[in-house]
């Protein structure tokens, strides 16, 4: 478990900035047009990422890369365990290249970065990569409109899939886009992510306003991911869970960083603002329930890592039942 300490000047004046804040320029959602799996406002999420990448010429966005950079480091270790060199790797929801810039020639010849926010995709044009890079501005939810079926050797996704509306659907698209015996590797936020912030906001709203509304987006858990990967048709599944804990001076710095990460709330039906009194109460509750002795507060990011392979005749398979030649009694 890695603990980051983020010590910066307290910005106590930013009361109107929060994880629940909404882009005023995003298009309103017509409830009559909401599709069955439409949980997130993808247009609002794209605008949030664009603004995060543009704020102060991307300076603030780069400062808050610490969570994605740490997860990318842990993902590259898992990729290196696969003793294979890929001609091309597709980085789905790449952002500016947190994972892609860690790739080396011994692993792949080329990386294709696909991102729904054009400004975030091109945020760091001067970044040096060890492999050839191609950037594609497209929506991750429409993968098969961008790539051909059975065309990819490897697809990775580093902290992007938690904003996809139809997660089972995108997993099926990824499997279809892979070549036989192609590998899919991803990291996404799990259900316990930011539980401290969620509980503080809910308790504050109940106390000050008599009810609650969604401020932290719904997320999956490791059991769900295992089932979804299996239903999508992946084999040789690997699912594990890890945590990244970050210490902040107060709840305000956490919310500022979430905004600058482009991780503000994008749930359809979200509130446009939170009252100042509610936020003040939430900050006090956060510190009381979860605060450290030194006055800082923790934020937990639960990370689910998954690996799945597209079926192929050459893959190893278990022997049929009853073909074993060694008795367990002999082994024990």
């Amino acid at each position: 478990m890695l603990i980051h300490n983020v010590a910066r000047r307290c910005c106590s004046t930013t009361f109107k900035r929060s994880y629940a804040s909404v882009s005023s320029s995003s298009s309103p959602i017509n409830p009559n047009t909401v599709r069955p799996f439409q949980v997130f406002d993808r247009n609002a999420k794209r605008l949030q990422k664009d603004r995060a990448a543009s704020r102060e010429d991307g300076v603030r966005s780069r400062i808050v890369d610490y969570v994605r950079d740490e997860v990318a480091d842990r993902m590259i270790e898992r990729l290196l365990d696969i003793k294979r060199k890929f001609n091309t790797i597709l980085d789905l929801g790449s952002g500016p290249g947190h994972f892609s810039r860690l790739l080396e020639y011994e692993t792949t010849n080329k990386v294709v970065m696909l991102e729904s926010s054009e400004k975030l995709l091109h945020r760091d044009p001067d970044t040096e990569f060890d492999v050839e890079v191609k950037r594609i501005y497209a929506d991750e939810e429409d993968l098969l409109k961008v790539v051909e079926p059975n065309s990819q050797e490897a697809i990775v996704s580093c902290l992007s899939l938690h904003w996809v509306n139809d997660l089972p659907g995108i997993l099926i698209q990824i499997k279809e886009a892979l070549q036989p015996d192609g590998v899919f590797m991803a990291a996404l936020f799990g259900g316990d992510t930011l539980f401290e912030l969620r509980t503080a906001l809910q308790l504050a709203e109940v106390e000050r306003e008599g009810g609650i509304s969604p401020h932290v987006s719904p997320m999956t858990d490791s059991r769900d991911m295992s089932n979804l990967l299996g239903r999508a048709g992946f084999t040789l599944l690997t699912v594990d869970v890890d945590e990244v804990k970050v210490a902040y001076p107060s709840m305000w710095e956490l919310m500022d960083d979430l905004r600058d990460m482009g991780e503000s709330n994008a749930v359809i039906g979200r509130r446009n603002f939170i009252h100042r009194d509610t936020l003040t109460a939430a900050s006090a509750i956060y510190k009381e329930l979860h605060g450290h002795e030194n006055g800082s507060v923790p934020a937990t990011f639960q990370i689910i890592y998954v690996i799945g392979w597209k079926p192929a005749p050459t893959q190893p398979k278990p022997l049929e039942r009853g073909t074993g030649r060694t008795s367990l009694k002999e082994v024990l």
Side-chain angles (χ1 to χ4, degrees), residues 92-107:
L92 188 65
S94 65
H98 306 282
F99 180 85
S100 295
R101 61 184 173 221
L102 299 178
L103 293 170
E104 298 178 345
Y105 182 74
E106 290 75 13
T107 305

Side-chain angles (χ1 to χ4, degrees), residues 41-50 163 262-264 266:
D41 185 343
R42 295 284 295 178
N43 183 55
K45 177 50 56 183
R46 177 183 58 81
L47 292 173
Q48 290 169 3
K49 290 182 177 181
D50 284 347
W163 289 118
E263 291 294 328
S264 298

Side-chain angles (χ1 to χ4, degrees), residues 172-189:
I172 293 174
Q173 289 191 63
I174 291 170
K175 195 263 292 183
E176 292 300 315
L178 286 169
Q179 299 174 1
D181 202 33
V183 64
F184 167 59
M185 178 180 295
L188 64 161
F189 288 127

Side-chain angles (χ1 to χ4, degrees), residues 7 59 69 94 125 175 245 258:
V59 173
D69 287 344
S94 65
K175 195 263 292 183
K245 285 186 175 290
L258 291 173

Side-chain angles (χ1 to χ4, degrees), residues 200-201 204 250-252 278-288 297:
L201 287 172
S250 71
M251 186 188 78
W252 307 107
T278 303
L279 284 174
T280 303
S283 178
I285 292 170
Y286 201 133
K287 184 163 291 190
E288 179 66 24
V297 296

Side-chain angles (χ1 to χ4, degrees), residues 25-87:
S25 60
S26 62
S27 301
I29 294 294
N30 182 351
N32 296 324
T33 64
V34 175
R35 293 175 293 180
F37 292 103
Q38 195 170 353
V39 180
F40 306 112
D41 185 343
R42 295 284 295 178
N43 183 55
K45 177 50 56 183
R46 177 183 58 81
L47 292 173
Q48 290 169 3
K49 290 182 177 181
D50 284 347
R51 279 195 295 272
S54 302
R55 189 174 290 113
E56 299 180 18
D57 293 327
V59 173
R60 286 291 308 153
S61 179
R62 295 184 187 94
I63 290 175
V64 297
D65 278 346
Y66 48 87
V67 174
R68 284 190 172 87
D69 287 344
E70 175 61 29
V71 174
D73 283 337
R74 300 185 187 188
M75 273 190 66
I76 203 71
E77 293 178 359
R78 289 165 168 80
L79 183 64
L80 293 175
D81 288 336
I82 301 174
K83 305 305 180 184
R84 179 188 298 185
K85 181 175 180 179
F86 303 97
N87 183 54

Side-chain angles (χ1 to χ4, degrees), residues 40-281:
F40 306 112
D41 185 343
R42 295 284 295 178
N43 183 55
K45 177 50 56 183
R46 177 183 58 81
L47 292 173
Q48 290 169 3
K49 290 182 177 181
D50 284 347
R51 279 195 295 272
S54 302
R55 189 174 290 113
E56 299 180 18
D57 293 327
V59 173
R60 286 291 308 153
S61 179
R62 295 184 187 94
I63 290 175
V64 297
D65 278 346
Y66 48 87
V67 174
R68 284 190 172 87
D69 287 344
E70 175 61 29
V71 174
D73 283 337
R74 300 185 187 188
M75 273 190 66
I76 203 71
E77 293 178 359
R78 289 165 168 80
L79 183 64
L80 293 175
D81 288 336
I82 301 174
K83 305 305 180 184
R84 179 188 298 185
K85 181 175 180 179
F86 303 97
N87 183 54
T88 302
I89 294 178
L90 174 62
D91 189 353
L92 188 65
S94 65
H98 306 282
F99 180 85
S100 295
R101 61 184 173 221
L102 299 178
L103 293 170
E104 298 178 345
Y105 182 74
E106 290 75 13
T107 305
T108 185
N109 297 320
K110 179 180 178 180
V111 61
V112 178
M113 296 166 52
L114 190 152
E115 170 60 47
S116 60
S117 167
E118 188 172 16
K119 292 183 178 179
L120 188 61
L121 180 64
H122 297 283
R123 190 196 70 180
D124 301 328
D126 298 328
T127 299
E128 294 185 1
F129 293 82
D130 291 341
V131 300
E132 181 185 351
V133 177
K134 178 181 179 181
R135 291 178 171 87
I136 298 178
Y137 167 47
D139 193 338
E140 301 97 310
E141 290 192 338
D142 298 321
L143 177 61
L144 290 180
K145 293 182 179 180
V146 183
V147 302
E148 296 292 331
N150 301 306
S151 63
Q152 304 298 312
E153 299 173 66
I155 298 178
V156 300
S157 178
C158 183
L159 297 183
S160 173
L161 294 182
H162 58 285
W163 289 118
V164 168
N165 280 302
D166 184 6
L167 184 56
I170 190 60
L171 291 177
I172 293 174
Q173 289 191 63
I174 291 170
K175 195 263 292 183
E176 292 300 315
L178 286 169
Q179 299 174 1
D181 202 33
V183 64
F184 167 59
M185 178 180 295
L188 64 161
F189 288 127
D192 287 340
T193 296
L194 298 178
F195 73 88
E196 303 97 342
L197 179 61
R198 182 188 294 113
T199 55
L201 287 172
Q202 289 176 347
L203 289 173
E205 273 195 314
V206 170
E207 177 191 356
R208 298 301 173 94
E209 303 179 33
I212 61 174
S213 56
H215 299 296
V216 179
S217 63
M219 301 174 191
T220 186
D221 62 29
S222 57
R223 291 168 298 180
D224 291 335
M225 286 306 303
S226 180
N227 293 334
L228 290 175
L229 287 167
R231 290 175 59 186
F234 287 98
T235 61
L236 305 176
L237 305 180
T238 302
V239 179
D240 64 291
V241 182
D242 202 353
E243 287 185 351
V244 174
K245 285 186 175 290
V246 185
Y248 294 89
S250 71
M251 186 188 78
W252 307 107
E253 284 77 19
L254 167 60
M255 293 191 296
D256 285 344
D257 279 13
L258 291 173
R259 175 201 63 199
D260 293 330
M261 290 177 188
E263 291 294 328
S264 298
N265 189 11
V267 175
I268 292 175
R270 62 201 180 278
R271 293 178 58 187
N272 291 336
F273 65 92
I274 302 179
H275 295 293
R276 180 188 297 245
D277 288 345
T278 303
L279 284 174
T280 303

